[in-house]
């Protein structure tokens, strides 16, 4: 129920307004002078003040100014018989929202009051909407590079500002200890850890109900025995809950000698809206952090698996090499040689898979820093093609370096550039049929970059899957029975390396016609 204070020195007008507005369901108090109104205002929180301009003693304009100075959330509407443009403008400039002239009929008064109160509600809602929008925008920036603590402090600062508070705090719930820990304090003294259910904040957290304190703790038996802080005029506390999970509570205070007026139920509703948005932002940050932690664990797991597999592989590889030498020297039968060749090829295959895992793990955990050196791109491509010549010959694939460009010297991480080209060539060999064709080339750009290309006439990539091929573990054919082995990490490694070197990569492909991979890289990289 909205509370209205009527100020008029004409008893007849005062009584009429009181009777009409009480009938409409408002809580009404009256004053016959500006001085009396100023005595009542600190004791109650009013949604609207209706005042005459022509008052004995303190006039209406001065009263409006004092109300808007000390109680900015209270709307003011003028009732006056001095209906001139000058007085209307002066009252509006002083902070009044609207005015109604004497004599007036009952319906006019009711409509004017309803309009003023609706404006007050919309003004509060607009302020909260503006603050929460600002909160979302800045929270996105904070969450990229700052901690949860920074975000919580920022949320509290915006809440204090939006709801015209003097102080505030946010407590975060610790489920393992069933306690509330102070994570952010604004304009108030430091608070200790609170047990769930203890004190005002603990009660709100346990009962998951917002609380408005306007007149101390006298009318709240659940807080009997708690010490009262006489410097607090009013307080609000709201729980932070996400999908029935308690995250914490937010508390706001107004002090004697500062804001010096009470929170209203409308303020509490605004705090609940703000708390809802703050909870969503905080939950999103925690979710993102959980994903990052999970990704880190996965990367560390792959690194460990790679290292664990590499050790026995090296032993197997060495043993196979020794046996091969023995078989050749002892002129053993052809069947043993075929078996050992099979073992050797599959050992190489496992080595490639382990190296792929290890390369990806290094990129994910950022173990390798950029090593900037100056080198010839032509020589690097020729060297890389030479590495894959034997694999290409196994499928009778034509693998060649095709460029008419002048030689390019790059100043960047040579190993990563080779890794990019190697993985693209390996990918093309894997998905190109026998007697196919793969071309590697580059084009120098005028803007200090070079466009490297790897073209093949292989099986191609479906259009609907082309935007996913650089994702970790993604395979165009993800079935167990697929004909092409691998973890689906080769192109993800390429994308990660390209990103580290601040380049771009994209693909053009048609089914049964082949794929064209383009990598645009700066010729010179910064070592940062």
């Amino acid at each position: 129920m909205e509370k209205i204070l009527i100020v008029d020195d004409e008893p007849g007008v005062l009584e009429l307004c009181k009777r009409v507005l009480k009938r409409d369901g408002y809580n009404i108090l009256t004053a016959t002078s500006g001085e009396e109104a100023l005595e009542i205002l600190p004791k109650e929180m009013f949604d609207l003040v209706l005042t005459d301009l022509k008052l004995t003693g303190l006039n209406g304009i001065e009263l409006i100014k004092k109300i808007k100075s000390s109680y900015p959330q209270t709307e003011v509407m003028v009732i006056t018989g001095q209906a001139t443009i000058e007085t209307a403008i002066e009252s509006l400039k002083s902070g009044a929202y609207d005015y109604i002239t004497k004599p007036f009929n009952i319906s006019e008064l009711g409509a004017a009051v309803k309009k003023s109160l609706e404006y007050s509600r919309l003004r509060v809602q607009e302020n909260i909407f503006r603050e929460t929008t600002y909160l979302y925008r800045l929270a996105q920036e904070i969450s990229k590079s700052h901690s949860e603590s920074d975000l919580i402090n920022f949320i509290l600062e915006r809440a204090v500002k939006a709801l015209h508070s003097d102080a505030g705090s946010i407590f975060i719930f610790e489920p393992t200890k069933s306690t509330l820990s102070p994570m952010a304090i604004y304009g108030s003294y430091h608070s200790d850890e609170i047990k769930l259910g203890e004190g005002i904040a603990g009660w709100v957290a346990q009962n998951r109900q917002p609380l408005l304190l306007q007149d101390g703790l006298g009318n709240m038996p659940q807080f009997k025995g708690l010490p009262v802080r006489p410097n607090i005029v009013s307080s609000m506390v709201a729980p932070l809950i996400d999908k029935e999970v308690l995250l914490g509570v937010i508390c706001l205070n107004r002090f004697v000698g500062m804001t010096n007026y009470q929170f209203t139920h409308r303020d509490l509703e605004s705090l609940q809206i703000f708390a809802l948005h703050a909870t969503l932002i905080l939950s999103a940050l925690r979710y993102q952090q959980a994903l990052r932690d999970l990704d880190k664990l996965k990367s560390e797991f792959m690194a460990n698996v790679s290292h664990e597999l590499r050790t026995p592989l090296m032993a197997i590889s060495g043993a196979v090499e020794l046996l091969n030498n023995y078989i050749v020297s002892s002129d053993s039968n052809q069947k043993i040689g075929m078996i050992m060749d099979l073992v050797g090829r599959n050992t190489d295959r496992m080595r490639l898979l382990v190296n792929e895992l290890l390369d990806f793990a290094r990129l994910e955990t950022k173990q390798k820093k950029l090593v900037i050196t100056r080198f010839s791109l032509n020589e690097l491509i020729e060297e890389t093609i030479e590495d894959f010549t034997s694999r290409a010959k196994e499928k009778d694939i034509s693998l060649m370096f095709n460029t008419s460009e002048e030689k390019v010297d790059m100043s960047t991480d040579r190993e990563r550039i080779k890794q990019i080209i190697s993985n693209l060539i390996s990918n093309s060999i894997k998905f190109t049929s026998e007697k196919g064709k793969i071309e590697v080339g580059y084009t120098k750009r005028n803007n200090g970059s070079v466009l490297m290309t790897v073209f093949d006439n292989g099986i191609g990539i479906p259009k609907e899957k082309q935007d996913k091929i650089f994702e970790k573990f993604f395979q165009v054919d993800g079935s167990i029975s697929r004909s092409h082995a691998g973890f689906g990490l080769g192109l993800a490694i390429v994308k990660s390396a390209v990103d580290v070197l601040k380049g771009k990569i994209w693909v053009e492909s048609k089914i049964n016609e082949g794929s064209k991979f383009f990598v645009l890289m700066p010729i010179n990289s910064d070592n940062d």
Side-chain angles (χ1 to χ4, degrees), residues 82-111:
Q82 299 175 318
T84 67
I85 294 296
E86 290 76 14
T87 55
I89 291 175
E90 188 177 6
S91 64
L92 294 177
K93 280 185 175 180
S94 299
Y97 167 68
D98 200 1
Y99 68 93
I100 184 171
T101 59
K102 300 176 184 177
F104 53 81
N105 61 46
I106 292 172
S107 60
E108 286 177 338
L109 177 63

Side-chain angles (χ1 to χ4, degrees), residues 214-250:
Q214 292 178 313
D215 302 302
L217 305 175
N219 58 347
M220 295 186 175
Q222 67 267 43
F223 303 129
K224 185 178 180 180
L226 279 182
V228 176
R229 291 172 57 189
N231 62 322
I232 295 180
V233 174
S234 185
S235 299
M236 295 189 295
V237 187
L240 303 174
I241 300 172
D242 177 45
K243 297 177 183 176
E244 300 186 359
V245 176
L246 177 67
L247 301 185
V249 296
I250 180 169

Side-chain angles (χ1 to χ4, degrees), residues 34-319:
E35 289 82 2
E36 186 182 358
L38 292 179
E39 289 178 6
I40 295 173
L41 282 164
K43 301 172 185 176
E44 304 279 349
M45 191 62 202
F46 293 95
D47 298 290
L48 177 66
V49 174
L50 273 68
T51 181
D52 191 2
L53 284 183
K54 192 177 180 181
L55 296 169
T56 54
L58 186 72
N59 65 46
I61 295 295
E62 290 302 317
L63 178 60
I64 294 169
K65 290 178 180 177
K66 288 183 179 294
I67 291 171
K68 298 310 290 185
S69 173
S70 300
Y71 314 100
Q73 290 176 293
T74 300
E75 289 302 333
V76 179
M77 193 177 90
V78 171
I79 306 173
T80 182
Q82 299 175 318
T84 67
I85 294 296
E86 290 76 14
T87 55
I89 291 175
E90 188 177 6
S91 64
L92 294 177
K93 280 185 175 180
S94 299
Y97 167 68
D98 200 1
Y99 68 93
I100 184 171
T101 59
K102 300 176 184 177
F104 53 81
N105 61 46
I106 292 172
S107 60
E108 286 177 338
L109 177 63
V113 167
K114 186 177 180 180
K115 180 183 174 184
S116 296
L117 290 170
E118 183 62 24
Y119 168 75
S120 178
R121 279 190 291 270
L122 290 174
R123 183 164 59 89
V124 172
Q125 290 173 6
E126 182 207 7
N127 183 45
I128 293 299
F129 176 76
R130 184 172 58 251
E131 284 296 326
T132 50
T133 302
Y134 180 69
L135 182 68
Y136 271 112
R137 189 170 67 250
L138 288 191
Q140 288 176 342
E141 296 302 317
I142 289 174
S143 63
K144 291 177 184 177
S145 57
H146 294 73
S147 65
E148 179 178 305
S149 176
D150 292 329
L151 183 59
I152 291 172
N153 274 281
F154 173 74
I155 289 171
L156 178 61
E157 183 180 337
R158 301 313 304 179
V160 168
K161 179 181 177 182
L163 292 161
H164 307 286
S165 309
D166 298 319
S169 55
I170 291 180
F171 291 81
I172 295 300
F173 180 56
E174 303 283 352
T176 56
K177 299 189 292 182
S178 291
T179 58
L180 294 163
S181 298
M183 288 293 291
I185 305 290
Y186 185 97
S188 183
Y189 60 86
H190 177 73
S191 181
D192 296 324
E193 192 174 75
I194 300 170
K195 289 184 179 179
L196 191 66
E198 286 189 357
I200 297 170
W203 185 91
V204 168
Q206 186 176 58
N207 291 274
R208 304 189 177 197
Q209 295 178 15
L211 197 64
L212 174 64
L213 301 176
Q214 292 178 313
D215 302 302
L217 305 175
N219 58 347
M220 295 186 175
Q222 67 267 43
F223 303 129
K224 185 178 180 180
L226 279 182
V228 176
R229 291 172 57 189
N231 62 322
I232 295 180
V233 174
S234 185
S235 299
M236 295 189 295
V237 187
L240 303 174
I241 300 172
D242 177 45
K243 297 177 183 176
E244 300 186 359
V245 176
L246 177 67
L247 301 185
V249 296
I250 180 169
C251 316
L252 297 180
N253 296 317
R254 286 176 178 167
F255 292 147
V256 174
M258 295 180 72
T259 301
N260 208 34
Y261 60 93
Q262 294 181 345
F263 290 114
T264 65
H265 287 283
R266 193 179 298 166
D267 291 325
L268 185 61
E269 290 173 3
S270 298
L271 178 62
Q272 288 177 268
I273 294 171
F274 199 95
L276 172 63
H277 288 278
T279 300
L280 292 174
I281 292 169
L282 187 57
S283 296
L285 177 67
R286 289 184 171 184
Y287 177 71
Q288 290 170 6
Q289 185 59 50
L291 286 180
R292 286 194 290 268
D293 292 343
L294 182 61
D295 217 32
K296 183 181 177 183
L297 285 173
K298 184 170 62 179
S299 299
E300 289 173 351
F301 171 75
M302 285 194 299
N304 291 333
V305 167
S306 301
H307 282 294
E308 291 297 324
L309 287 174
R310 173 169 276 193
T311 301
L313 271 175
M314 289 176 67
I316 293 170
S317 182

